[in-house]
Amino acid sequence: MHILFTRPLEDCHEMILKFQSLGHEISHLPLINIEGLKYEGPNYSEFKGIIFTSANAIKFLDIRSIDKKLKCFCVGGATEKKARSAGFQNVFAAEGNVNNLKELVLQNFKTSEGKLLYISGEIISSDLDKDLISSGYIIERLINYRANTIEKYDEDFIEKLKLKMPEITYIYSQNSAINFLKVIKNYQLETLWMNTNLMCIGEKTSSILNEIKWKKIFLFNPGEEEFLLYKI
């Protein structure tokens, strides 16, 4: 099967190797690159828990002054792995989406325990902090990275893609979906996806690409990529 991955290489390198080992043909078209931002670190001793909605939030965080025994809440397995490698010991992992992450916090962190620190990118798909505040939590959000769109692509790669379109394409964020739609239109690819299954994280992401005719659209959580292969 021909599969197109669209995340930055460092975020999907292991998955590319895994899928290649399963005999699949892989193409890679990164739609965004991740940039760390300067930020003013808070007084970390004020917080009793920390929330990460992506591995990038950990990657671009100076963790030297943070107590690694804090309750640490992660959106999914990849973020959990990054948190543990950074030294966090008391890690709770959701099943790859923010709604599950919210429930994980509600079940494992009492409002009376103290303040939560929420580390995220500039653009978020869900107002997790506002949802938790409405549930009685005291939470502070720290933004330490942004996703930048990639503007220019290898023309040879696009031409090869036209000759053999993927049977599966994975899209991981609204930012990526917006840029993917631009790529499709800029390179006149609108009519070539009728035999491609589009895999999107969340309805907000898939809705951006609804104007293109796909074979089928699936919603998934990170970590379910291989499982989706067997649903087609």
Side-chain angles (χ1 to χ4, degrees):
M1 201 177 298
H2 184 196
I3 299 170
L4 178 66
F5 285 109
T6 61
R7 300 182 88 182
L9 184 58
E10 65 180 313
D11 294 330
C12 64
H13 182 250
E14 288 184 11
M15 196 168 300
I16 287 174
L17 294 177
K18 173 70 181 295
F19 278 42
Q20 285 176 331
S21 73
L22 294 171
H24 300 292
E25 179 183 352
I26 305 299
S27 293
H28 182 229
L29 182 74
L31 297 166
I32 57 173
N33 59 52
I34 305 298
E35 173 192 5
L37 299 176
K38 290 183 179 179
Y39 62 88
E40 186 173 339
N43 180 359
Y44 293 111
S45 64
E46 295 179 1
F47 300 94
K48 301 302 180 185
I50 190 164
I51 300 172
F52 298 114
T53 50
S54 81
N56 288 314
I58 305 168
K59 177 181 177 181
F60 294 106
L61 181 66
D62 184 350
I63 61 171
R64 288 174 295 180
S65 302
I66 301 176
D67 180 4
K68 306 307 184 300
K69 294 180 182 177
L70 286 177
K71 285 187 177 179
C72 175
F73 298 93
C74 298
V75 71
T79 308
E80 176 191 14
K81 184 178 178 181
K82 188 76 171 177
R84 291 190 185 279
S85 70
F88 289 96
Q89 301 166 30
N90 196 7
V91 181
F92 299 81
E95 296 177 356
N97 68 58
V98 176
N99 286 333
N100 289 341
L101 180 59
K102 176 188 170 184
E103 290 303 315
L104 196 67
V105 174
L106 293 174
Q107 292 169 16
N108 295 281
F109 193 93
K110 297 177 181 177
T111 55
S112 58
E113 289 185 57
K115 290 176 68 175
L116 285 164
L117 180 62
Y118 171 35
I119 316 292
S120 77
E122 203 170 46
I123 296 174
I124 52 178
S125 58
S126 176
D127 294 320
L128 176 63
D129 52 340
K130 294 178 182 177
D131 289 345
L132 288 172
I133 288 169
S134 70
S135 296
Y137 289 85
I138 300 171
I139 184 167
E140 183 175 325
R141 182 181 170 202
L142 188 157
I143 299 169
N144 69 340
Y145 73 93
R146 72 159 60 101
N148 298 315
T149 58
I150 294 174
E151 302 292 344
K152 192 171 179 61
Y153 291 91
D154 183 339
E155 300 275 352
D156 289 340
F157 175 86
I158 298 295
E159 290 304 315
K160 288 178 182 177
L161 197 66
K162 287 180 180 179
L163 294 173
K164 188 176 183 184
M165 295 297 288
E167 290 148 274
I168 294 178
T169 296
Y170 291 97
I171 304 293
Y172 285 82
S173 68
Q174 293 175 63
N175 277 337
S176 292
I178 290 167
N179 203 35
F180 193 41
L181 188 60
K182 288 180 183 176
V183 171
I184 289 171
K185 292 185 174 182
N186 288 345
Y187 292 96
Q188 293 84 48
L189 306 174
E190 291 95 330
T191 62
L192 301 179
W193 303 94
M194 288 184 286
N195 293 313
T196 299
N197 293 286
L198 178 68
M199 312 296 190
C200 287
I201 290 185
E203 289 184 13
K204 289 183 180 178
T205 301
S206 67
S207 66
I208 294 165
L209 294 162
N210 276 344
E211 65 182 86
I212 305 300
K213 185 169 178 57
W214 306 93
K215 184 176 182 180
K216 197 169 183 180
I217 297 176
F218 294 85
L219 302 182
F220 77 103
N221 297 317
E224 297 177 348
E225 291 89 344
E226 185 178 349
F227 169 73
L228 285 175
L229 298 179
Y230 307 105
K231 292 185 69 174
I232 297 171

